[in-house]
């Protein structure tokens, strides 16, 4: 999820990255979330809280911080400016923590945000995701697609989500040279049908 980015499968085993490092933070967050009418499940190897079968929040471990991820976080008002967008996720947002004390100090705020997320789910609110056609296509990519038919066919064969990931990544570079370098580096993965964040199997 890289941010809040659901993958495939739910084998029920806990495989959260940096789990040992954030053990105390996980337990503190679990204690806070246990007060809500949500069900804790293990999805994508991480503790995930659901309501009526819908994902609300997920606990995630990163090298430098522990995160509480909100699947529809972009809907929240975020008066304290605590939510961060990771990568190209459109709806998901995370709240970062570096220690148990920080979670305890922000307990009331965390609970307020979770209550708002639950209310949004009950109301059936969703972030309307941008379509692939709404993402800008850098001139460098247009040129590459025009010159190399095999590459164009491979890019067009990608799922819309994978195309959006690459477009977001390419367009994020301010310099034309950087955009071109990113395109060149991504070509092997695109030709193999993989998304930007997918590793070789």
């Amino acid at each position: 999820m890289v941010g809040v980015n659901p993958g495939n499968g739910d084998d029920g085993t806990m495989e959260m990255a940096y789990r040992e490092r954030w053990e105390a933070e996980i337990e503190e967050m679990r204690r806070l979330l246990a007060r809500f009418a949500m069900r804790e499940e293990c999805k994508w190897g991480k503790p995930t809280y659901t309501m009526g079968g819908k994902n609300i929040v997920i606990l995630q471990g990163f090298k430098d911080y522990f995160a509480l991820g909100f699947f529809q976080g972009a809907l929240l008002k975020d008066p304290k400016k605590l939510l961060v967008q990771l990568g190209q996720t459109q709806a998901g947002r995370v709240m970062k923590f570096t220690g148990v004390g920080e979670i305890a100090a922000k307990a009331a705020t965390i609970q307020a945000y979770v209550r708002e997320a639950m209310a949004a789910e009950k109301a059936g609110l969703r972030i309307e995701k941008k379509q692939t056609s709404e993402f800008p296509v850098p001139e460098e990519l247009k040129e590459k697609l025009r010159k190399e038919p095999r590459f164009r066919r491979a890019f067009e064969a990608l799922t819309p989500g994978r195309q959006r990931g690459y477009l977001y990544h390419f367009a994020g570079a301010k310099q034309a040279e950087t955009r071109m370098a990113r395109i060149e580096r991504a070509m092997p993965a695109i030709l193999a049908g993989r998304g930007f964040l997918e590793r070789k199997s």
Side-chain angles (χ1 to χ4, degrees):
M1 190 351 324
V2 190
V4 182
N5 185 20
N8 296 319
D10 178 7
D11 59 9
T13 58
M14 185 74 75
E15 294 175 356
M16 180 175 155
Y18 302 100
R19 183 184 175 191
E20 293 77 17
R21 179 172 186 164
W22 304 112
E23 201 70 53
E25 288 74 16
I26 293 169
E27 290 314 309
E28 179 67 14
M29 191 64 76
R30 273 180 160 155
R31 191 179 65 75
L32 278 179
L33 297 176
R35 302 174 186 181
F36 294 97
M38 294 189 293
R39 179 181 174 195
E40 182 185 308
E41 302 179 46
C42 183
K43 293 190 177 186
W44 314 288
K46 304 174 182 70
T48 306
Y49 290 79
T50 64
M51 190 175 70
K54 301 292 187 182
N55 300 321
I56 308 297
V57 291
I58 187 168
L59 308 190
Q60 297 172 288
F62 295 87
K63 184 179 179 182
D64 298 319
Y65 60 88
F66 166 73
L68 174 64
F70 292 80
F71 284 87
Q72 293 289 322
L75 289 171
L76 306 184
K77 295 185 181 73
D78 192 19
K80 305 278 190 182
K81 304 298 179 201
L82 296 175
L83 299 179
V84 179
Q85 179 180 9
L86 298 183
Q88 65 264 25
T89 57
Q90 294 185 51
R93 297 291 184 272
V94 302
M95 199 180 282
K96 297 180 178 182
F97 304 95
T98 54
V100 174
E102 194 179 355
I103 294 172
K106 293 177 179 172
T109 300
I110 293 166
Q111 290 175 323
Y113 277 52
V114 172
R115 274 193 295 273
E116 188 183 351
M118 291 172 71
E121 179 54 50
K122 281 180 184 171
L125 302 180
R126 287 286 180 278
I127 289 295
E128 192 170 320
K129 294 188 177 181
K130 287 169 70 175
Q131 297 302 308
T132 306
S133 59
E134 296 178 67
F135 281 73
V137 179
E139 288 302 320
E140 296 79 12
L141 179 59
K142 287 180 184 175
E143 183 70 7
K144 198 75 171 169
L145 294 171
R146 188 180 65 76
K147 284 183 174 177
E148 301 194 28
R150 179 169 165 257
F151 177 58
R152 187 187 74 244
R153 286 193 299 273
F155 189 82
E156 290 173 351
L158 294 173
T159 61
R162 286 176 174 138
Q163 288 183 18
R164 288 193 294 271
Y166 282 116
L167 291 173
Y168 185 94
H169 176 59
F170 299 153
K174 293 185 174 132
Q175 303 293 328
E177 297 80 14
T178 311
R179 287 193 293 274
M180 200 64 234
R182 287 185 178 186
I183 292 165
E184 294 287 349
R185 279 198 302 272
M187 281 184 72
I190 291 171
L191 290 167
R194 294 196 310 274
F196 172 55
L197 296 171
E198 292 173 53
R199 296 177 182 173
K200 291 181 182 178
S201 53

